[in-house]
Amino acid sequence: MNLLYNFLFFILFSSVYFLVNCQNVPKARYKQTSALVGTNLYFFGGETSFYVATNEVWYLDLSKSFNTIIPPWHEVIGMPVGYAYGSACVSPIDNYTVFLVGGRTSLPNTTNYILSSAVYEFNTKTSQWSTPSINNFNSSFARRNEMQAVVDSEGRIYSFGGTDYDNSTTSTNYNDMNILDITTMTWSTQFQSQSLAYIDYAATLLPNGLIIYISGREVLALSGFFVDMNMIRTFNTNSYTWDTKIANGSTILSRVGHSTVLTQDGNIILYGGASLNSSGAPATIFSDLAVLNTNTWVWSIPSTFGTKPPPLMSHSAALYKNYMIIAFGQNATEVYSKDIYILDTRNYSWVISVI
Ligand SMILES: *[C@@H]1O[C@H](CO)[C@@H](O)[C@H](O)[C@H]1NC(C)=O
Ligand SMILES: *[C@@H]1O[C@H](CO)[C@@H](O)[C@H](O)[C@H]1NC(C)=O
Ligand SMILES: *[C@@H]1O[C@H](CO)[C@@H](O)[C@H](O)[C@H]1NC(C)=O
Ligand SMILES: *[C@@H]1O[C@H](CO)[C@@H](O)[C@H](O)[C@H]1NC(C)=O
Ligand SMILES: *[C@@H]1O[C@H](CO)[C@@H](O)[C@H](O)[C@H]1NC(C)=O
Ligand SMILES: *[C@@H]1O[C@H](CO)[C@@H](O)[C@H](O)[C@H]1NC(C)=O
Ligand SMILES: *[C@@H]1O[C@H](CO)[C@@H](O)[C@H](O)[C@H]1NC(C)=O
Ligand SMILES: *[C@@H]1O[C@H](CO)[C@@H](O)[C@H](O)[C@H]1NC(C)=O
């Protein structure tokens, strides 16, 4: 009996091993950006080692049942540059063009940072890359990174703050709102003069047009401090006005490198992130899951089921149907993950497969 069991176990695992090795799979990375196009979840770039960014583009085909043991990976033509700390926005006009906005760009697989286009356009139907020409482009945005852009249903991409730090000795941090209208390819810059520069937050657009900025760092010239989880900056895309919502409920530690998704019932689900030490390196990488109810502005920490992911920062998260899909990220000091994790957001159950 035992022998048979062991034999079956061996067959099962060796075939999993065989399949895993035959299939082309991405190696571990962090600081990539992701975007859901139909049933394909795309991943752009990411650093495969400290400050070395890849130009690779992968996607997970979620159209059939899938699991986290043998994720349905596919690779497509890479970006023109190595890419990290950027944002990917899917055009709501055609639902298949992806705009990569901001980001640190380098010669692929090198630490040679190049000043290049701030916006790349990717046609997911033809797998072709182009650099759009933009009216009134603000050249101060050319190297902008460490911020998260969102796109509204009219095709306006909102990108708040960020830094032009790219491993060089001097840099500037920003507190402006840069808006790219993809229907006219026109750029505009708005200001929020009363507050500090802002980087490393997580941005979420609500259906009512409010962009929610969670935690991250406010930055003076040489130092930064964490933004309280309960002091939530919001930008109203209808009136172009700023506000601060005061949240309460469970105590959640401030952080950078966290990810958020919005569920249909108006909950923002947050995973991971890290605190930093005084030299800017991760001090504690978090593994907590927190939920912000955007109707009541109350934070809660739900009970979860299943096997939790490890602590992760600079990973990515996307919502597909009722599933939050978390991918890659830094899982320990200078260790990067190649794994994906799936949360059933209906009951906060970590699952390994989606039927
Ligand atoms: C794009 O997707 C949105 C939301 O699902 C839908 O309302 C719209 O009709 C789609 N547009 C096209 C051109 O497919
Ligand atoms: C970057 O490195 C990866 C593997 O480490 C390789 O597959 C890829 O071709 C390299 N890209 C470039 C543009 O050199
Ligand atoms: C960027 O940082 C890396 C890691 O600290 C270093 O090896 C590299 O020389 C730096 N590159 C530039 C262009 O400054
Ligand atoms: C471009 O952005 C910079 C930095 O926020 C700002 O100082 C400048 O006024 C902007 N230019 C225009 C034309 O909006
Ligand atoms: C949270 O804030 C709301 C409104 O500001 C208040 O009514 C409520 O009592 C607060 N709850 C807690 C737990 O502090
Ligand atoms: C911060 O963490 C890094 C990486 O672990 C370490 O090399 C550095 O010494 C730490 N700095 C301080 C001030 O603790
Ligand atoms: C971190 O990721 C690497 C690569 O996927 C993996 O080998 C390692 O076990 C992971 N560490 C943790 C704590 O999950
Ligand atoms: C979570 O919900 C899914 C879908 O309703 C269900 O299949 C699963 O059994 C639930 N898991 C737990 C732990 O309740």
Side-chain angles (χ1 to χ4, degrees):
M1 188 62 190
N2 238 336
L3 201 64
L4 178 65
Y5 178 80
N6 284 343
F7 179 69
L8 289 174
F9 192 78
F10 174 78
I11 297 285
L12 178 72
F13 267 78
S14 54
S15 50
V16 167
Y17 183 77
F18 179 74
L19 284 168
V20 167
N21 274 277
C22 279
Q23 203 189 24
N24 207 10
V25 296
K27 59 181 187 179
R29 65 199 56 202
Y30 71 139
K31 302 181 190 169
Q32 77 286 352
T33 180
S34 76
L36 182 68
V37 182
T39 55
N40 290 340
L41 180 56
Y42 281 86
F43 298 89
F44 300 93
E47 291 182 7
T48 51
S49 60
F50 192 54
Y51 275 98
V52 180
T54 175
N55 65 329
E56 289 169 359
V57 179
W58 293 83
Y59 70 87
L60 285 171
D61 176 2
L62 309 179
S63 63
K64 300 177 207 77
S65 66
F66 60 97
N67 65 51
T68 58
I69 301 160
I70 312 173
W73 285 118
H74 299 270
E75 190 176 11
V76 294
I77 186 148
M79 296 184 67
V81 288
Y83 194 72
Y85 271 138
S87 277
C89 295
V90 182
S91 163
I93 312 301
D94 65 21
N95 295 338
Y96 65 80
T97 306
V98 183
F99 290 89
L100 283 289
V101 179
R104 273 185 207 163
T105 59
S106 61
L107 292 176
N109 299 341
T110 76
T111 57
N112 187 346
Y113 289 83
I114 49 176
L115 179 63
S116 58
S117 176
V119 180
Y120 291 91
E121 191 175 331
F122 182 58
N123 181 324
T124 57
K125 282 197 171 165
T126 59
S127 286
Q128 272 172 332
W129 286 95
S130 56
T131 49
S133 52
I134 298 169
N135 304 310
N136 302 330
F137 177 67
N138 187 324
S139 59
S140 81
F141 195 85
R143 310 153 80 111
R144 207 69 74 83
N145 63 88
E146 295 189 48
M147 73 286 178
Q148 193 183 0
V150 296
V151 62
D152 71 11
S153 57
E154 310 294 311
R156 280 183 294 263
I157 294 172
Y158 299 85
S159 184
F160 174 37
T163 177
D164 56 17
Y165 179 73
D166 66 354
N167 201 21
S168 52
T169 46
T170 59
S171 64
T172 308
N173 305 308
Y174 294 89
N175 190 35
D176 51 3
M177 175 63 90
N178 284 279
I179 303 164
L180 171 63
D181 184 333
I182 61 165
T183 63
T184 56
M185 275 299 160
T186 304
W187 195 273
S188 64
T189 306
Q190 310 271 322
F191 297 97
Q192 186 201 13
S193 53
Q194 74 276 19
S195 332
L196 298 170
Y198 197 18
I199 65 173
D200 294 337
Y201 52 77
T204 314
L205 176 67
L206 303 184
N208 65 9
L210 222 53
I211 309 175
I212 311 303
Y213 292 96
I214 295 176
S215 208
R217 284 187 284 169
E218 286 190 320
V219 209
L220 295 162
L222 292 170
S223 63
F225 49 90
F226 287 91
V227 175
D228 193 295
M229 283 295 203
N230 293 345
M231 299 292 288
I232 298 176
R233 282 200 224 187
T234 63
F235 180 75
N236 186 324
T237 58
N238 304 308
S239 57
Y240 283 20
T241 50
W242 288 93
D243 195 4
T244 301
K245 301 278 184 199
I246 314 293
N248 59 22
S250 303
T251 303
I252 322 279
L253 294 176
S254 301
R255 61 195 65 207
V256 299
H258 47 301
S259 64
T260 55
V261 297
L262 177 70
T263 64
Q264 263 120 36
D265 46 8
N267 286 335
I268 292 176
I269 304 181
L270 174 148
Y271 186 77
S275 62
L276 304 178
N277 71 16
S278 57
S279 32
T284 304
I285 304 181
F286 299 122
S287 61
D288 48 352
L289 185 78
V291 178
L292 176 68
N293 180 324
T294 61
N295 301 306
T296 58
W297 302 99
V298 172
W299 281 105
S300 59
I301 299 176
S303 306
T304 63
F305 303 91
T307 309
K308 293 175 187 164
L312 288 173
M313 72 175 294
S314 303
H315 54 289
S316 55
L319 190 75
Y320 174 70
K321 296 184 176 167
N322 292 307
Y323 299 97
M324 180 179 186
I325 300 176
I326 289 173
F328 303 109
Q330 180 168 346
N331 65 9
T333 307
E334 290 175 41
V335 182
Y336 313 118
S337 169
K338 56 178 165 38
D339 297 326
I340 68 167
Y341 300 93
I342 305 171
L343 178 76
D344 186 333
T345 63
R346 290 167 293 192
N347 51 17
Y348 305 111
S349 181
W350 292 103
V351 297
I352 59 162
S353 63
V354 172
I355 315 289

